[in-house]
Amino acid sequence: MASSSHLTESFTNPENYSFPHQRLSRVLHNPDKTPIVLVACGSFSPVTYLHLRMFEMAKDYVRQNTDFEILGGYLSPVSDMYKKPGLLSARHRVNMCTLAAEDSDTWLMVDSWEAFQSYQRTAIVLDHFDHEINTVLGGVHTASGEHRRVRVMLLAGSDLIGTMSEPGVWAYSDLEHILGGYGCLIVERAGTGMDQATDSLARWRSNIYLISQLIQNDVSSTKVRLFLRRGLSVRYLLPNTVVDYIEQNGLYQDETTPNLSASISSEKGKEKEASASGSKKEKEAH
């Protein structure tokens, strides 16, 4: 059951902000199912086909293994205040996500609420979606007119659930709010053991849905950035519209990487540290 109480009583919106819901289904087609919306929070610097593929894997998993019905999916890029290595400005990241979502499917959207303001904890971001969908929009209805509350769920890679399982990184109250209140769908990422990552999260195991990659894909934003800095092609790793945007704006050309393999290992180490540091913000906010 989605959380009915929020961690804040009010939400501050960026200037000229409006919640995107043009692709959000407002009718629950199967009244026997629970309506859900998937939210993926991340840097998306840049957004890759694996980010988009996560939504498709989640859709297949939900259809075959759960009593949920997906009404929409959202990419929520983090704020510039996240201070992650390789993090491009929010404007560019939101633009690239928007191009990717428009080019990929009919149920994906990009919400810029998190991107264009100060750093917001993941728990607050999910509360924002719950507020906009269930309070502002009024939830959804069945074909017969019955009102239903939509359950917001976090969609993430197993690397994120790995940080949640590390002692002291996330505040327990936020884990309870996210995993206990909303729940999450976790997609396997190459090199990350999902079972091990969830061992210390056993309290919320019934609310964590693990999705295996049947076709392994280890494309990452880190590798894409390093390819671009080397002048290597990234076509077919990202949507063509995103590749064109990167080329037109001359993005990710600020460094040279003489040793690609070493640079990938080095930058992934920095990103792991940044991920832990950013997650600690979740804890320090309390």
XYZ file of all heavy atoms in Angstrom, residues 7 113-114 118-126 170-171 173-174 178 281-286:
196
model
N 6.315 13.233 4.304
C 7.325 13.727 5.229
C 7.294 15.245 5.341
O 7.946 15.819 6.204
C 8.716 13.264 4.776
C 8.919 11.749 4.746
C 10.300 11.405 4.228
C 8.709 11.154 6.137
N 10.645 18.479 -11.581
C 10.489 19.042 -10.230
C 11.751 18.873 -9.393
O 12.213 19.811 -8.749
C 9.308 18.357 -9.537
C 9.009 18.890 -8.167
C 8.246 19.980 -7.869
C 9.459 18.352 -6.920
N 8.191 20.161 -6.503
C 8.926 19.176 -5.894
C 10.245 17.270 -6.553
C 9.159 18.943 -4.538
C 10.490 17.027 -5.200
C 9.958 17.869 -4.216
N 12.327 17.698 -9.408
C 13.517 17.433 -8.608
C 14.739 18.151 -9.160
O 15.613 18.602 -8.403
C 13.779 15.925 -8.564
C 14.986 15.524 -7.743
C 15.275 14.029 -7.790
O 14.552 13.300 -8.498
O 16.240 13.604 -7.123
N 16.801 22.825 -5.035
C 17.826 22.288 -4.156
C 17.658 20.777 -4.033
O 16.616 20.220 -4.393
C 17.737 22.937 -2.765
O 16.472 22.677 -2.173
N 18.684 20.131 -3.520
C 18.673 18.671 -3.398
C 17.476 18.182 -2.601
O 17.164 18.701 -1.529
C 19.972 18.205 -2.718
C 20.027 16.714 -2.513
C 20.380 15.863 -3.560
C 19.709 16.152 -1.275
C 20.422 14.500 -3.380
C 19.758 14.777 -1.091
C 20.111 13.966 -2.143
O 20.141 12.602 -1.959
N 16.778 17.187 -3.150
C 15.627 16.598 -2.481
C 15.879 15.104 -2.259
O 16.317 14.401 -3.165
C 14.362 16.778 -3.326
C 13.965 18.215 -3.569
C 13.476 18.903 -2.300
O 12.977 18.262 -1.383
N 13.633 20.222 -2.249
N 15.601 14.631 -1.061
C 15.749 13.218 -0.768
C 14.754 12.401 -1.585
O 13.677 12.867 -1.919
C 15.545 12.954 0.729
C 16.460 13.775 1.595
C 16.464 13.379 3.054
N 15.261 12.835 3.598
C 14.285 13.540 4.186
N 14.366 14.853 4.240
N 13.248 12.934 4.716
N 15.131 11.165 -1.890
C 14.277 10.296 -2.685
C 12.903 10.124 -2.060
O 11.885 10.080 -2.759
C 14.949 8.921 -2.867
O 16.231 9.099 -3.472
C 14.102 8.006 -3.739
N 12.858 10.043 -0.741
C 11.572 9.893 -0.050
C 10.657 11.084 -0.329
O 9.447 10.923 -0.531
C 11.806 9.744 1.455
N 11.240 12.288 -0.351
C 10.452 13.496 -0.630
C 9.998 13.512 -2.086
O 8.871 13.928 -2.398
C 11.273 14.762 -0.318
C 11.646 14.808 1.170
C 10.497 16.018 -0.707
C 10.468 14.933 2.100
N 10.872 13.058 -2.993
C 10.510 13.013 -4.412
C 9.306 12.095 -4.631
O 8.360 12.439 -5.354
C 11.707 12.546 -5.261
C 11.293 12.368 -6.725
C 12.860 13.545 -5.165
N 9.308 10.928 -3.992
C 8.171 10.009 -4.127
C 6.913 10.616 -3.515
O 5.807 10.446 -4.050
C 8.502 8.666 -3.476
C 9.672 7.890 -4.107
C 9.886 6.568 -3.376
C 9.440 7.645 -5.593
N 21.880 5.270 4.365
C 20.531 5.835 4.309
C 19.948 5.889 5.711
O 20.201 5.009 6.539
C 19.614 4.973 3.441
C 19.914 5.020 1.977
C 21.038 4.551 1.351
C 19.078 5.555 0.949
N 20.948 4.754 -0.003
C 19.757 5.367 -0.287
C 17.820 6.160 0.939
C 19.218 5.772 -1.509
C 17.283 6.559 -0.276
C 17.971 6.374 -1.479
N 19.161 6.906 5.990
C 18.447 6.986 7.255
C 17.394 5.881 7.309
O 16.693 5.626 6.322
C 17.770 8.354 7.399
N 14.585 5.852 8.747
C 13.233 6.398 8.538
C 12.927 6.568 7.052
O 11.783 6.375 6.623
C 13.090 7.735 9.262
O 14.077 8.647 8.837
N 13.945 6.923 6.239
C 13.719 7.053 4.807
C 13.549 5.691 4.149
O 12.724 5.527 3.239
C 14.886 7.806 4.158
C 14.686 9.321 4.187
O 13.750 9.772 4.869
O 15.462 10.043 3.537
N 10.349 4.677 2.025
C 10.450 4.279 0.621
C 10.078 2.815 0.421
O 9.191 2.482 -0.381
C 11.874 4.535 0.088
C 12.198 6.024 0.102
C 12.018 3.983 -1.335
C 13.660 6.335 -0.148
N 23.333 12.209 2.290
C 22.516 13.406 2.429
C 21.108 13.023 2.885
O 20.431 13.760 3.562
C 22.452 14.169 1.105
C 23.774 14.792 0.692
C 23.602 15.492 -0.645
C 24.903 16.067 -1.141
N 24.769 16.709 -2.467
N 20.667 11.831 2.411
C 19.354 11.342 2.827
C 19.313 11.175 4.345
O 18.327 11.449 5.010
C 19.061 9.992 2.158
C 19.328 9.914 0.681
C 18.094 10.092 -0.148
O 16.999 10.080 0.421
O 18.216 10.257 -1.371
N 20.434 10.703 4.885
C 20.518 10.470 6.324
C 20.674 11.784 7.072
O 20.002 12.040 8.058
C 21.697 9.559 6.625
C 21.892 9.268 8.110
C 23.073 8.355 8.347
C 23.250 8.072 9.840
N 24.417 7.227 10.097
N 21.580 12.657 6.548
C 21.872 13.894 7.263
C 20.677 14.834 7.295
O 20.587 15.708 8.156
C 23.063 14.572 6.594
C 24.367 13.804 6.792
C 25.461 14.283 5.875
O 25.190 15.191 5.061
O 26.590 13.764 5.970
N 19.766 14.657 6.352
C 18.598 15.537 6.330
C 17.732 15.348 7.564
O 16.877 16.162 7.873
C 17.762 15.270 5.080
N 17.950 14.267 8.275
C 17.189 14.028 9.501
C 17.967 14.490 10.714
O 17.581 14.265 11.830
C 16.857 12.538 9.636
C 15.832 12.089 8.618
N 14.483 12.219 8.812
C 15.976 11.540 7.398
C 13.829 11.747 7.775
N 14.721 11.332 6.894
